[in-house]
Amino acid sequence: YFPDKASDRRIKELKVRCDNSENGCEWEQELAQLEQHLSKCGYAKVKCKNNCKQSVLRHNLINHLQNQCPMREYQCPKCKEEGKYQTITIDHLEVCLEQDITCPNPGCGVRYKR
């Protein structure tokens, strides 16, 4: 920080809050420890690793990747075809041969596979 060791020490001892306090982080320690904290702070916004273009808080990333990300790997519950969640649930289910559909004739109501 500063060439003057005494000033440098005093500055590093200043109490600071985490840059992510607006996201809920309550960390407050010496300036000297801030960089280390920021590298693992659970309240930092990080980009999704699946390239879904969403940013989530680091402590929510695993849940996002497993349960919320539209680009996560997903398997059709009917035919077991694999693909991205948004592709399977939006496009694929419209053409899945194992998907049950209802007879389009009025009053019929019979369900069968596509």
Side-chain angles (χ1 to χ4, degrees):
Y1 290 98
F2 289 94
D4 173 19
K5 299 236 184 242
S7 295
D8 189 58
R9 186 175 53 252
R10 282 194 301 271
I11 290 171
K12 287 180 179 178
E13 291 174 347
L14 291 172
K15 296 284 186 189
V16 294
R17 285 190 172 149
C18 177
D19 295 352
N20 302 303
S21 60
E22 69 278 359
N23 295 333
C25 184
E26 297 179 0
W27 184 90
E28 188 174 330
Q29 294 290 327
E30 292 179 352
L31 178 61
Q33 299 172 2
L34 180 62
E35 189 174 333
Q36 180 184 2
H37 168 75
L38 289 175
S39 70
K40 61 182 185 210
C41 178
Y43 292 91
K45 287 192 175 185
V46 294
K47 290 186 177 187
C48 175
K49 297 173 183 178
N50 290 337
N51 296 317
C52 75
K53 298 187 174 45
Q54 291 185 31
S55 291
V56 297
L57 299 183
R58 183 177 281 127
H59 73 268
N60 291 334
L61 183 60
I62 291 174
N63 183 55
H64 171 78
L65 292 170
Q66 293 175 348
N67 303 307
Q68 298 170 334
C69 180
M71 300 301 288
R72 69 186 182 271
E73 292 300 318
Y74 188 74
Q75 188 178 64
C76 174
K78 301 294 183 178
C79 72
K80 308 301 182 208
E81 182 172 324
E82 294 186 1
K84 302 296 182 192
Y85 178 83
Q86 71 180 13
T87 302
I88 298 293
T89 58
I90 296 172
D91 300 327
H92 172 75
L93 288 180
E94 293 294 321
V95 296
C96 178
L97 298 177
E98 296 296 316
Q99 179 70 26
D100 290 338
I101 59 172
T102 303
C103 177
N105 294 321
C108 178
V110 172
R111 293 191 55 78
Y112 56 92
K113 298 211 184 303
R114 182 173 280 121

